[in-house]
Amino acid sequence: MEAERLIEVGRRALADSRGALDVMAEAWQAQALARAVGSRLALCGPMELRSEARALGEIGAGCSALDHPTVISGGARAAQLSGIGEVRPTLAGLALLLGEAGIALVGVACDTGEDGLYWQCIEAMDAADESLDRVHGMLRRLAERERERERDRERERDGPYGIRGPAPSAAGF
């Protein structure tokens, strides 16, 4: 399944989550998807994103995200990732999903009286926040690249001397 579609499925599932365990499962699903998108972009994404994408693909890799009972029973949605269409909309959607997951986790952490669940929420919030930082970094790099391309197009359009033509010589000719 294409990344943007998986992101939308994840956003709907998170919005429909009822109860702390459902929210936790969807937060782990979002993190697994972020890692999968990061890994895919690290392999075949734009060169200027590969370092940041590699880091995104490694966030939370050692934690028990995929051991969550709900994730185990239904499997990680990220395993269905077949490709990434356009990079910018995919990253923008992933940023929304990670932000929403972080907010949902804050709600669970504030409502729970259980120490174990509280600390799981804190760990998941940290992973979502770090992933979101990486995604924002990639979006900034894409914006910079687009600005550079626009400047290059303007230079090509204006010619080697700009829109005013060559500068007058010191002799006035």
Side-chain angles (χ1 to χ4, degrees):
M1 191 180 303
E2 204 271 329
E4 286 184 73
R5 191 162 168 227
L6 279 172
I7 290 166
E8 284 306 311
V9 168
R11 289 183 69 208
R12 276 193 305 273
L14 182 63
D16 292 341
S17 294
R18 299 292 174 247
L21 293 180
D22 285 348
V23 170
M24 288 296 296
E26 288 308 321
W28 290 130
Q29 289 277 10
Q31 189 60 43
L33 183 55
R35 282 196 309 271
V37 167
S39 295
R40 180 72 56 103
L41 288 175
L43 289 174
C44 53
M47 288 303 274
E48 64 268 20
L49 300 184
R50 290 189 180 181
S51 174
E52 201 81 36
R54 188 172 303 109
L56 177 62
E58 295 171 355
I59 294 172
C63 69
S64 60
L66 297 178
D67 295 338
H68 191 282
T70 309
V71 174
I72 290 172
S73 66
R77 262 185 238 111
Q80 299 174 29
L81 180 64
S82 62
I84 296 173
E86 292 186 48
V87 175
R88 182 184 308 276
T90 297
L91 291 174
L94 188 56
L96 282 173
L97 174 61
L98 290 166
E100 291 166 356
I103 291 168
L105 288 165
V106 167
V108 171
C110 288
D111 286 345
T112 189
E114 192 179 315
D115 276 353
L117 182 58
Y118 173 80
W119 288 110
Q120 283 182 348
C121 284
I122 297 301
E123 180 183 338
M125 285 187 297
D126 286 345
D129 188 48
E130 186 178 350
S131 295
L132 187 56
D133 286 346
R134 297 291 180 179
V135 170
H136 283 154
M138 287 188 280
L139 286 168
R140 278 191 300 277
R141 285 182 192 256
L142 287 174
E144 289 168 9
R145 180 179 73 171
E146 187 57 36
R147 283 191 298 273
E148 288 173 13
R149 285 183 177 167
E150 184 59 33
R151 282 191 296 264
D152 290 345
R153 283 191 290 269
E154 287 175 8
R155 282 187 208 113
E156 288 174 11
R157 183 181 62 235
D158 295 341
Y161 302 110
I163 58 174
R164 294 191 173 105
S169 66
F173 299 108

